[in-house]
Amino acid sequence: MKDLQTIQGETHQDLKHDSAIKQVMGRAEYTDDIAEPAGTLHAYLGVSNVAHALINRMDLSRVRAAQGVITVLTAADIPGVNDVSPSGRNDEPVFPTEKIEFHGQPMFAVIAETRDAARRAAELADVDYTILPHALDPISARNAGMPLVTDPLKLERGDVGKGFETAKNRIKGQIVIGGQDHMYLEGHIAFAIPGEDDDVIVHCSTQHPSEAQHMVAHVLGVPSNAVVVNVRRMGGGFGGKESQMNLFAAVAAIGAKKLNRPVKIRPDRDQDMTATGKRHDFVVDYDVGFDTEGRIEAVEGQFAARCGYSSDLSGPVTDRALFHADNAYFYPNVRLNSRPQKTNTVSNTAFRGFGGPQGVVAAERMIEEIAFALNKDPLDIRKANFYGDENDGRNVTPYHQTVEDNVIGRIVEELEESAEYRSRRADIIKENAKGGVIRRGIALTPVKFGISFTATWYNQAGALIHIYSDGSIHLNHGGTEMGQGLNTKVAQVVAEAFQVDFDRIKITKTTTEKVPNTSATAASSGSDLNGMAALDAAEQLKARLVTFATESRGVSPDTVRFMPNHVQIGDELVPFAHFIKEAYMARVHLSAAGFYKTPKIHWDRASGKGRPFYYYAYGASCSEVSIDTLTGEYRVERTDILHDVGRSLNPILDKGQVEGAFIQGMGWLTTEELWWDDAGRLRTHAPSTYKIPLASDRPREFNVKLADWSENREMTIKRSKAVGEPPFMLGISVLEALSMAVASVADYRHCPRLETPATPERILMAVERLKAQG
């Protein structure tokens, strides 16, 4: 038998991103790179300059008369329904008709010969308002009697009242958790090309092509089969393109069908930031009872979120905040309530973690409070409260799901040893005791993150595979590529299934023409869902090919094997391409549609009980920081991470996801501050005023390792685990380390209770406050 080499690009091996070279060389095509047909027009949004008002009159005559303007779109030009709400609550109009709900709300769209002409004309509207009172944050909105944007959630288990009665200690507090802008490199963009009859093709940068398809059909008043949405790749998404693209896709499509000419809309960065939603800000009131060893006995929490003017995805976001308010800790008695509060701000939306990070921050604040109250190392408090297993009964979450795959103890123990946490902490305490200007802090924090859409019906995926007669393979699936490497991973799964080299597979754009009714590429589920769907398609094709081989050669099925770039049939070894040609000549069907739905999950929101998550991903991070007590400035000296991705499909891509998620999470908690003025204007609306981490802000020493011993106990794709969102919360170790450094100025007697983002200004104010307390 011929000695065959292994294939290039199988799973569990490092393989570069399939677009990496194209991206580095500028050859990777994005929506704005698509060649514009002759006659292409450009749209730009005209927006409100007040936060809350009744529209008395909107005079657009100067806009229409401006040079280069072809037409102006208002609510009157919408042939279907004036709504792009992803929640189905009909509360998010494309263009308002009676009331303005936030400063910068789109009111109309200008269609012009050039983008510059459209942008300039959009400033010429004359609008007469009756100004109404506005509220910008969840507390002032609640006090003003503003409603909730959707139904709240309550999670409860145990006897909370009795738990507090028997607890030896009790602490109440409040933490303000800031929001975050997505700051994707490629902003929102949609490019609509009209077709015959009701048809329209929309190229856009969206994580959810099927929703964009349905929303465009909704506003045009046509069936979904008349709309095709294409996405080759995005220049980042982070959740900001899950539902926020609906508006832009709708505007481009309305204009294209009205004028029968292609229409492109691409807001500039300022308008992108003011007109689209962000991570939800939260104000969390917590009450925790605990014993003298720091073990939690009861928890109660109220989670109020700034949701903005409409529901968008705020319901599931605030739900997930409660799902992760336990982080990795067991609460014997617990009651958690969400408050998805309406405010006069842009409607907030999905962002990496989807509310989970805010819940985890609240959990870590309670742990920190207990540690300061008992004068103990916070890591000891964390370990004392970790989930246990079925033997000790400490493995049931507030939503009544049993934690069956708990590896957080091993993760933390290994990181504690490799990062030399204990000795470094002792050295830091000794150094801080000298009373210098520079103070240091260190923290080791865990994360447990549930994987699945909490809306159970989204946990499905489809894929399509064609094998052409020359042996080349065409792969299409419902997931979208935004830089995370999803296409690479799914192609590796297919390559391994057929035992062919990765280069034999052509990964094609995501399109609603090929795979229908897709779920958003979100909730860290892209590889889990689409990888399994692609594998299902591959297995269907392999089964047909095995049948053909047995019938054509007269051998038993168990003698047919797919070998590296060959097919073994009995004693015969046939090159893969030759075998496929034979199958084609024998009229074997060489195309298959695969499908997958996540098993075991169920959720009853009304009762707050179920199994919303298929499994959990775990990780831990140890960070050391230095702060300047005279200025509040700080830097991250060292970070060590150990993260659980199961049996990684592609370790180098997963490691990159962990690194990037940590930095993005660190930015959320330190430098990325959203600030609205009293008039309701977002003032941090460009890179000049909104500060994301730079390369120079990364830890001076950055050690990232995957837990290579881990293997998902559930039947996920190749026993891997999701990696998109869980490591985002590793950045919390930086916040906790900053807290320790600040606390050192008062000899660790008081919890600093830092609000986030912990900007240098907030660090300095906390230092001065603790010094005054003594």
Side-chain angles (χ1 to χ4, degrees), residues 225-494:
N225 63 11
V227 181
V228 173
V229 174
N230 295 326
V231 185
R232 175 58 184 94
R233 61 172 61 85
M234 286 168 277
F238 309 118
K241 296 175 180 176
E242 182 172 345
S243 65
Q244 299 295 289
M245 176 50 65
N246 296 344
L247 171 70
F248 300 99
V251 168
I254 293 168
K257 293 305 289 183
K258 177 178 180 176
L259 300 170
N260 199 31
R261 292 172 66 177
V263 173
K264 178 188 288 188
I265 181 169
R266 176 173 59 84
D268 62 18
R269 179 65 66 173
D270 299 82
Q271 191 173 88
D272 192 302
M273 292 183 72
T274 56
T276 65
K278 309 170 193 322
R279 183 183 296 281
H280 291 66
D281 311 58
F282 273 76
V283 177
V284 182
D285 292 290
Y286 55 88
D287 188 354
V288 56
F290 53 98
D291 65 18
T292 55
E293 296 302 311
R295 184 167 284 200
I296 292 172
E297 297 187 356
V299 168
E300 185 162 17
Q302 304 288 334
F303 289 71
R306 174 177 12 214
C307 296
Y309 82 101
S310 70
S311 55
D312 193 80
L313 298 171
S314 293
V317 166
T318 51
D319 286 1
R320 194 175 269 266
L322 300 194
F323 287 136
H324 291 86
D326 59 340
N327 193 14
Y329 311 118
F330 174 69
Y331 300 157
N333 307 286
V334 57
R335 183 187 302 123
L336 305 170
N337 288 278
S338 70
R339 185 176 178 83
Q341 181 66 58
K342 179 172 182 172
T343 54
N344 294 121
T345 54
V346 65
S347 190
N348 282 330
T349 190
F351 199 130
R352 197 175 198 169
F354 206 74
Q358 295 94 314
V360 174
V361 167
E364 294 304 326
R365 171 54 55 85
M366 289 188 285
I367 292 292
E368 181 186 29
E369 290 266 30
I370 294 169
F372 278 106
L374 298 178
N375 193 28
K376 289 179 177 288
D377 185 336
L379 180 58
D380 292 331
I381 304 299
R382 292 184 170 98
K383 294 169 84 170
N385 286 286
F386 279 161
Y387 276 104
D389 54 39
E390 59 275 7
N391 296 321
D392 60 16
R394 293 174 56 85
N395 66 334
V396 182
T397 67
Y399 41 95
H400 299 261
Q401 176 168 341
T402 301
V403 179
E404 300 172 338
D405 57 358
N406 189 9
V407 296
I408 194 61
R410 180 174 176 181
I411 292 273
V412 168
E413 286 178 9
E414 288 191 9
L415 184 63
E416 179 184 352
E417 181 178 351
S418 64
E420 301 176 309
Y421 170 81
R422 298 290 181 179
S423 61
R424 288 168 60 202
R425 187 172 191 273
D427 291 342
I428 287 169
I429 291 174
K430 183 177 180 181
E431 185 67 25
N432 287 343
K434 297 177 182 178
V437 170
I438 304 299
R439 298 297 180 96
R440 292 157 58 200
I442 189 172
L444 195 160
T445 59
V447 62
K448 171 184 71 66
F449 194 82
I451 304 300
S452 289
F453 287 98
T454 52
T456 306
W457 59 90
Y458 280 138
N459 295 283
Q460 59 175 301
L464 180 66
I465 296 177
H466 303 317
I467 307 178
Y468 295 103
S469 59
D470 65 352
S472 62
I473 298 172
H474 171 113
L475 167 64
N476 191 273
H477 58 83
T480 56
E481 176 63 51
M482 62 196 91
Q484 82 278 40
L486 172 62
N487 284 345
T488 304
K489 287 183 173 182
V490 176
Q492 284 181 271
V493 170
V494 174

Side-chain angles (χ1 to χ4, degrees), residues 24 61 133 144 188 204 342-343 400 419 478 523 552 574 582 653 656 753 766:
V24 169
S61 57
H188 281 287
C204 62
K342 179 172 182 172
T343 54
H400 299 261
S552 64
V574 183
E582 286 184 34
L653 289 186
R753 293 191 169 183

Side-chain angles (χ1 to χ4, degrees), residues 107-119:
M107 301 174 67
F108 60 90
V110 183
I111 311 291
E113 295 286 358
T114 66
R115 181 173 176 273
D116 184 62
R119 185 182 179 200

Side-chain angles (χ1 to χ4, degrees), residues 409-736:
R410 180 174 176 181
I411 292 273
V412 168
E413 286 178 9
E414 288 191 9
L415 184 63
E416 179 184 352
E417 181 178 351
S418 64
E420 301 176 309
Y421 170 81
R422 298 290 181 179
S423 61
R424 288 168 60 202
R425 187 172 191 273
D427 291 342
I428 287 169
I429 291 174
K430 183 177 180 181
E431 185 67 25
N432 287 343
K434 297 177 182 178
V437 170
I438 304 299
R439 298 297 180 96
R440 292 157 58 200
I442 189 172
L444 195 160
T445 59
V447 62
K448 171 184 71 66
F449 194 82
I451 304 300
S452 289
F453 287 98
T454 52
T456 306
W457 59 90
Y458 280 138
N459 295 283
Q460 59 175 301
L464 180 66
I465 296 177
H466 303 317
I467 307 178
Y468 295 103
S469 59
D470 65 352
S472 62
I473 298 172
H474 171 113
L475 167 64
N476 191 273
H477 58 83
T480 56
E481 176 63 51
M482 62 196 91
Q484 82 278 40
L486 172 62
N487 284 345
T488 304
K489 287 183 173 182
V490 176
Q492 284 181 271
V493 170
V494 174
E496 186 170 276
F498 288 114
Q499 283 294 294
V500 297
D501 290 337
F502 181 89
D503 293 343
R504 189 182 291 271
I505 298 168
K506 175 68 174 179
I507 307 164
T508 56
K509 67 178 181 290
T510 306
T511 175
T512 55
E513 280 187 310
K514 291 186 177 179
V515 178
N517 307 317
T518 58
S519 299
T521 304
S524 305
S525 62
S527 296
D528 281 1
L529 295 176
N530 295 287
M532 290 293 273
L535 182 60
D536 178 53
E539 293 298 337
Q540 292 177 47
L541 287 165
K542 288 173 66 178
R544 293 177 204 160
L545 292 169
V546 168
T547 299
F548 162 67
T550 59
E551 292 176 351
S552 64
R553 302 306 201 274
V555 298
S556 63
D558 58 7
T559 65
V560 181
R561 297 174 57 201
F562 286 81
M563 306 291 284
N565 295 302
H566 291 75
V567 179
Q568 182 181 336
I569 310 171
D571 294 329
E572 182 183 3
L573 195 64
V574 183
F576 183 81
H578 293 177
F579 179 65
I580 294 301
K581 183 69 172 181
E582 286 184 34
Y584 163 73
M585 297 296 290
R587 297 181 295 178
V588 175
H589 183 36
L590 296 176
S591 177
F595 181 77
Y596 174 75
K597 60 180 181 180
T598 308
K600 298 186 179 182
I601 54 176
H602 55 91
W603 171 240
D604 181 352
R605 191 176 188 275
S607 65
K609 296 179 181 180
R611 178 177 176 167
F613 305 121
Y614 189 29
Y615 64 89
Y616 296 97
Y618 299 86
S621 172
C622 179
S623 291
E624 179 182 340
V625 302
S626 297
I627 70 169
D628 186 324
T629 57
L630 298 181
T631 66
E633 293 176 291
Y634 50 79
R635 71 181 192 183
V636 182
E637 304 291 355
R638 174 179 168 181
T639 292
D640 297 80
I641 291 171
L642 180 60
H643 196 74
D644 163 34
V645 295
R647 288 200 67 203
S648 173
L649 289 173
N650 187 322
I652 197 68
L653 289 186
D654 285 350
K655 187 176 179 183
Q657 284 291 292
V658 173
E659 292 170 347
F662 171 84
I663 296 297
Q664 191 174 45
M666 179 185 76
W668 165 53
L669 295 170
T670 56
T671 63
E672 298 186 42
E673 184 173 27
L674 295 167
W675 189 78
W676 284 262
D677 65 17
D678 292 339
R681 293 176 294 185
L682 178 66
R683 289 301 204 176
T684 49
H685 54 76
S688 58
T689 51
Y690 184 80
K691 300 299 184 182
I692 64 172
L694 305 175
S696 57
D697 294 316
R698 69 187 293 278
R700 297 303 191 270
E701 183 180 342
F702 198 16
N703 306 308
V704 178
K705 184 180 178 183
L706 304 179
D708 52 15
W709 43 263
S710 177
E711 181 174 289
N712 200 334
R713 62 186 289 168
E714 299 293 349
M715 287 295 294
T716 54
I717 187 69
K718 305 293 181 181
R719 300 286 186 171
S720 64
K721 286 189 177 184
V723 72
E725 293 173 305
F728 180 89
M729 283 142 284
L730 298 173
I732 295 172
S733 63
V734 173
L735 177 66
E736 293 296 296

